[in-house]
């Protein structure tokens, strides 16, 4: 009886093993994507802190410029800080786009995993 059972289920057992291996592979991919997303979210948070620091520096320069209007050197520094703020904003936007792409990818993988389940 045992030999007959093994013979009749051989194909199903092999098929099950293939599906289990595929499921493990997809779970590893999803975990890697989630880790990458977490890293990008951390980078985005760091950019937010940098933007706030740049804003504070810009405001401090504006206050100094108001006190000493006409100082060309201070104006130059303000321009540099404004450029840094714009660059920080561009970086934050790029990270936001990256986050959205990663979320879409993770969502797609999750949907595919549910379909396969």
């Amino acid at each position: 009886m045992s030999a007959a059972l093994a013979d009749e289920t051989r194909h199903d057992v092999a098929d099950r093993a293939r599906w289990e291996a595929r499921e493990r592979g997809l779970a590893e991919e999803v975990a890697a994507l989630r880790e990458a997303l977490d890293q990008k979210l951390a980078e985005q948070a760091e950019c937010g802190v940098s933007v706030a620091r740049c804003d504070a520096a810009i405001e401090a320069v504006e206050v100094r410029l108001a006190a000493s209007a006409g100082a060309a050197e201070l104006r130059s520094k303000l321009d540099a800080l404004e450029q840094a703020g714009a660059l920080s904003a561009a970086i934050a936007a790029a990270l936001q786009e990256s986050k959205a792409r990663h979320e879409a990818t993770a969502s797609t993988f999750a949907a595919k995993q549910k379909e396969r389940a």
Side-chain angles (χ1 to χ4, degrees):
M1 172 91 164
S2 180
L5 177 63
D7 187 48
E8 284 191 39
T9 60
R10 182 177 350 110
H11 174 70
D12 291 326
V13 169
D15 197 33
R16 181 178 189 268
R18 281 190 300 274
W19 283 112
E20 284 177 334
R22 178 70 176 139
E23 181 181 24
R24 281 190 304 273
L26 288 172
E28 290 171 4
E29 288 179 36
V30 167
L33 287 170
R34 285 186 177 145
E35 185 173 329
L37 176 60
D38 289 343
Q39 289 173 355
K40 290 298 180 184
L41 290 172
E43 287 179 38
Q44 182 183 18
E46 289 174 16
C47 286
V49 169
S50 294
V51 167
R53 188 177 59 244
C54 288
D55 286 345
I58 290 167
E59 185 176 344
V61 171
E62 287 174 344
V63 168
R64 279 188 284 155
L65 283 176
S68 61
E73 182 179 329
L74 290 178
R75 173 52 65 192
S76 175
K77 288 180 181 181
L78 176 61
D79 291 341
L81 285 172
E82 287 174 353
Q83 289 174 358
L87 180 59
S88 292
I91 290 170
L95 283 173
Q96 186 65 26
E97 290 175 11
S98 179
K99 173 189 169 194
R101 283 194 308 275
H102 284 289
E103 287 175 345
T105 302
S107 176
T108 300
F109 271 100
K112 286 182 181 178
Q113 193 171 19
K114 283 182 183 180
E115 288 176 6
R116 290 185 177 118

